[in-house]
């Protein structure tokens, strides 16, 4: 399950709009923008794709916040296959992450891969 954190030089709203445009071909599952502690913003986005050709499903979860005076974007993607013989993901989750990174590239300050042990 690939997971990355990006620091960007755009606002939470601008970043949210960029990501939403980049996922126009995905099925939106959830979207929310909240004001936290009076001045900070927290956005949450969730998307899903289904690939009929190989019965793959991928999901993309995104949080964006400005708690540390810069917008931070956390992106997590997961995928699976409903195939009878094989039940593993064919790289679609990594492609989902790449689509977000591509749209963030013009405003990207830093990127960190999040590793879970």
């Amino acid at each position: 399950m690939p997971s990355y954190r990006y620091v960007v030089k755009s606002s939470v709203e601008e970043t949210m709009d960029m990501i939403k445009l980049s996922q126009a071909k995905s099925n939106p599952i959830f979207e929310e923008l909240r004001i936290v502690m009076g001045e900070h913003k927290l956005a949450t986005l969730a998307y899903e794709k289904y690939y009929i050709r190989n019965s793959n499903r991928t999901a993309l979860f995104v949080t964006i916040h400005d708690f540390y005076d810069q917008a931070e974007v956390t992106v997590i993607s997961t995928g699976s296959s409903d195939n009878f013989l094989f039940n593993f993901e064919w790289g679609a989750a990594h492609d989902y992450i790449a689509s977000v990174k591509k749209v963030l590239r013009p405003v990207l300050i830093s990127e960190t891969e999040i590793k879970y042990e």
Side-chain angles (χ1 to χ4, degrees):
M1 177 170 29
S3 306
Y4 287 86
R5 180 161 295 123
Y6 303 102
V7 176
V8 295
K9 56 184 172 187
S10 56
S11 71
V12 171
E13 294 94 333
E14 292 168 335
T15 306
M16 186 177 182
D17 288 343
M18 292 167 68
I19 293 171
K20 285 169 51 177
L21 284 173
S22 77
Q23 300 308 316
K25 294 184 180 181
S26 298
N27 298 322
I29 303 300
F30 183 79
E31 176 184 322
E32 180 178 59
L33 177 61
R34 301 185 78 181
I35 306 297
V36 182
M37 298 180 287
E39 62 181 293
H40 297 289
K41 295 183 179 101
L42 172 65
T44 306
L45 299 166
Y47 295 95
E48 177 186 50
K49 277 188 188 176
Y50 181 71
Y51 301 88
I52 295 171
R53 177 176 50 91
N54 53 12
S55 298
N56 275 354
R57 291 183 187 277
T58 56
L60 179 71
F61 304 96
V62 181
T63 61
I64 310 161
H65 68 79
D66 61 359
F67 298 160
Y68 306 109
D69 298 323
Q70 287 183 311
E72 285 188 9
V73 182
T74 302
V75 183
I76 301 166
S77 184
T78 186
S80 67
S81 173
D82 295 334
N83 190 300
F84 177 71
L85 297 175
F86 303 102
N87 189 14
F88 60 91
E89 187 263 321
W90 294 88
H94 287 281
D95 290 344
Y96 230 164
I97 296 279
S99 71
V100 173
K101 182 178 179 182
K102 181 179 179 180
V103 76
L104 294 178
R105 190 165 288 130
V107 295
L108 187 63
I109 295 172
S110 68
E111 171 187 20
T112 305
E113 183 174 7
I114 302 169
K115 301 266 188 186
Y116 296 100
E117 295 181 26

